[in-house]
Amino acid sequence: MSISFVIADDHVLMRQGLIQLLSADSDLKVIGECGDGIALIELVLKLNPDVVVMDISMPHMSGLVAIDKLLAQRPDSKVLVLSMHDEQEYIEAMREAGAKGYILKESSGDKLISAIKAVANGRTTFPDSVEKNLDMHNTTKYLNPVSVLTRREREVFFLVVAGNTSRKIAELLAMSLKTAENHRSNIYKKLQVSSSAELVRLAGKAGLLE
Amino acid sequence: MSDDKLAKLLAQIQQQQAQLQNRLDTEQQSLSQLAKRLWAQQESEKARLSRELHDGVGQLLTGLTRRLQGLSKQYSELDELVELSELALADVRQLSRLMSPTILDDLGLVPALKWLSRSLFSHEDIEVELQLDNDVTANHEINILVYRIVQESFVNIVKHANATKVMLLLSSHHQTLRLDVVDNGDGFDNNCITQGIGLNSMQDRARAFDAELTIKSTPNKGTRITLTVCK
């Protein structure tokens, strides 16, 4: 049995791309589309779709207000929020407002399709914790990172930042691979990073990249 | 001079005074409107930059990340570049969000303040306590004012205060909204600090919206910033 849905997103291109993507699945059938919250409520009340796919940031009436008004008039609506925002405040707010699911716009088409099917079948689907970019903002407390490193560790630090592997570093500094790896892991620990990419970013923020 | 003449003169002076007062009021009003417009303009400029960052550099980095992700399936040595470009993308997004908080329009003041404290303090050694009255609602202008005052205070705390505890309180009573940002950091001497651009601009901003902003601080005893404003 096919699942009917309407979709609300103010970016026309985005919306059309999504419709095209979703229409490829024979179980899904788009029966309406619109670009703001007010139009969405009218559309849902008129067409009675199985699932409502909607964005949050929309003109005239934001998604949060729209979902509230929609559920007041049609409490059994199954709403799947499709958003670019991965902050937990957004996810919590939409869940509290009564959405049955939340999915990020950057998700793959397969994920989106299975999210719509899950919601249509009465399940809920929310990201566990998509907030992975929070460590982005400790820009304010940067000391010169190398000041906490020993002289040897500094040498290793700069070689890692320059893109050398542990093996190469061992060779350049005439030490065993194991020693090079130990230095490397000490540096990570001292500077609280977990990968060389993070180390490079930290070096960049401290102005240590050539 | 006869009493009659004196009375006449007095009346004249009073009339002049009233006229002057009137002019002063009008001028003050237009000054305050100008200030409001300036702040609004700054906000819209920030919003524009934020959009450009997000849609411009952000989109390019998204494209780059996708390409690298695709390639790294064949070449595992690209994993590090994938991660680096993901970090760059996340940085740009975060910057764009802090510049113009769409969360304020999307979800309202309380979620926006929660997000702000999480973003600014989650990687600091600072304990944050939020007491935010969920029912607080205000118009967009006031929301932005409160948000920016909190943002400025938080940035000051992280940069200068050496605090281990921060408290953010938001409540409303009748038509008045009250905000308190309290920290237990180094504090400063109210009398001898030359107010930096940060504190001054907070005061200016508050004044433009007829809000009252008080900054109380004692060396080694932390700082309390209080904003009261008509909703």
Side-chain angles (χ1 to χ4, degrees):
Chain A
M1 202 194 87
S2 82
I3 299 164
S4 66
F5 68 94
V6 298
I7 188 163
D9 191 315
D10 57 327
H11 290 106
V12 181
L13 274 178
M14 177 83 196
R15 196 166 79 215
Q16 285 170 348
L18 283 168
I19 290 172
Q20 199 176 24
L21 180 93
L22 296 171
S23 306
D25 189 293
S26 56
D27 293 337
L28 301 180
K29 192 172 171 223
V30 56
I31 55 171
E33 55 174 299
C34 61
D36 67 78
I38 296 173
L40 176 69
I41 294 173
E42 275 175 26
L43 208 59
V44 173
L45 294 179
K46 199 172 88 187
L47 301 175
N48 269 317
D50 297 321
V51 177
V52 179
V53 180
M54 64 185 283
D55 190 9
I56 301 175
S57 313
M58 289 188 292
H60 306 311
M61 188 191 282
S62 82
L64 188 66
V65 179
I67 194 171
D68 204 46
K69 290 213 191 298
L70 177 63
L71 291 176
Q73 296 181 60
R74 189 173 174 268
D76 54 349
S77 300
K78 292 168 175 166
V79 178
L80 174 68
V81 176
L82 179 67
S83 167
M84 54 174 271
H85 301 286
D86 59 1
E87 297 97 324
Q88 69 192 49
E89 284 77 12
Y90 274 92
I91 299 166
E92 270 165 25
M94 298 317 279
R95 195 207 299 254
E96 274 167 24
K100 297 284 188 259
Y102 192 109
I103 187 162
L104 291 172
K105 281 186 179 173
E106 63 196 49
S107 309
S108 65
D110 291 348
K111 274 199 181 147
L112 179 55
I113 288 170
S114 55
I116 294 180
K117 289 181 180 172
V119 169
N121 288 319
R123 294 197 300 274
T124 56
T125 170
F126 289 90
D128 304 326
S129 173
V130 274
E131 188 77 21
K132 59 184 173 203
N133 44 17
L134 255 189
D135 56 326
M136 297 314 129
H137 208 71
N138 51 357
T139 47
T140 29
K141 241 189 183 172
Y142 275 117
L143 302 165
N144 184 352
V146 294
S147 64
V148 298
L149 304 179
T150 64
R151 192 185 53 81
R152 201 58 163 166
E153 284 166 353
R154 277 180 217 182
E155 289 172 344
V156 176
F157 171 90
F158 284 109
L159 289 172
V160 174
V161 169
N164 293 290
T165 60
S166 294
R167 189 171 298 281
K168 182 82 186 159
I169 292 169
E171 202 182 297
L172 286 168
L173 298 179
M175 54 175 65
S176 72
L177 176 60
K178 196 157 172 21
T179 312
E181 275 171 352
N182 277 341
H183 281 310
R184 196 174 178 134
S185 84
N186 284 339
I187 294 168
Y188 284 16
K189 231 181 275 165
K190 279 186 179 173
L191 299 178
Q192 296 175 344
V193 300
S194 55
S195 71
S196 52
E198 281 181 38
L199 199 69
V200 171
R201 183 173 60 157
L202 189 136
K205 283 194 167 155
L208 297 172
L209 286 182
E210 278 137 38
Chain B
M1 209 186 294
S2 74
D3 282 359
D4 209 26
K5 251 185 172 171
L6 199 65
K8 232 179 179 176
L9 207 61
L10 207 63
Q12 239 173 22
I13 291 173
Q14 271 168 347
Q15 203 191 348
Q16 265 173 10
Q17 197 191 15
Q19 275 171 356
L20 282 173
Q21 185 65 46
N22 228 336
R23 252 169 66 190
L24 195 68
D25 287 349
T26 322
E27 259 160 39
Q28 236 156 19
Q29 219 170 20
S30 69
L31 259 178
S32 129
Q33 300 231 320
L34 191 70
K36 267 189 192 172
R37 270 220 305 279
L38 266 175
W39 286 111
Q41 216 160 41
Q42 196 195 70
E43 283 300 332
S44 76
E45 184 69 3
K46 275 188 184 165
R48 192 182 63 79
L49 274 172
S50 155
R51 264 196 313 276
E52 263 176 33
L53 254 184
H54 188 275
D55 298 344
V57 187
Q59 289 305 316
L60 284 175
L61 283 171
T62 306
L64 182 68
T65 310
R66 290 262 156 91
R67 293 278 291 274
L68 284 171
Q69 278 166 345
L71 282 172
S72 72
K73 284 179 189 144
Q74 299 164 45
Y75 308 100
S76 62
E77 58 269 44
L78 289 182
D79 285 350
E80 193 184 319
L81 294 189
V82 171
E83 203 189 328
L84 204 53
S85 75
E86 282 170 352
L87 287 175
L89 178 59
D91 274 7
V92 165
R93 283 192 180 157
Q94 181 76 349
L95 193 63
S96 150
R97 283 172 189 153
L98 282 167
M99 218 181 245
S100 174
T102 47
I103 190 170
L104 209 48
D105 297 323
D106 287 338
L107 306 181
L109 188 55
V110 171
L113 293 179
K114 283 185 187 165
W115 173 76
L116 187 63
S117 14
R118 209 160 48 79
S119 304
L120 294 179
F121 291 127
S122 66
H123 284 259
E124 305 291 336
D125 247 353
I126 297 177
E127 188 190 320
V128 187
E129 188 186 332
L130 305 177
Q131 289 182 26
L132 309 173
D133 186 347
N134 271 317
D135 302 329
V136 173
T137 50
N139 63 38
H140 179 73
E141 245 181 16
I142 300 300
N143 278 346
I144 289 261
L145 171 71
V146 173
Y147 181 90
R148 291 298 188 199
I149 296 282
V150 173
Q151 186 173 22
E152 183 70 40
S153 313
F154 280 1
V155 168
N156 281 342
I157 290 171
V158 173
K159 270 193 188 158
H160 309 296
N162 280 319
T164 56
K165 253 181 122 168
V166 172
M167 223 170 24
L168 178 67
L169 311 149
L170 180 74
S171 60
S172 86
H173 191 68
H174 296 305
Q175 280 310 301
T176 312
L177 183 153
R178 176 180 172 139
L179 168 86
D180 288 277
V181 189
V182 188
D183 74 69
N184 69 345
D186 292 346
F188 52 85
D189 189 340
N190 268 325
N191 299 318
C192 64
I193 192 160
T194 44
Q195 295 209 338
I197 292 177
L199 293 183
N200 272 333
S201 92
M202 272 203 268
Q203 292 280 18
D204 286 349
R205 193 162 192 149
R207 213 171 292 133
F209 294 89
D210 298 321
E212 195 181 321
L213 184 84
T214 54
I215 303 172
K216 279 191 194 144
S217 189
T218 318
N220 301 317
K221 291 213 171 131
T223 304
R224 175 187 280 266
I225 292 176
T226 305
L227 177 85
T228 44
V229 61
C230 212
K231 288 196 280 184

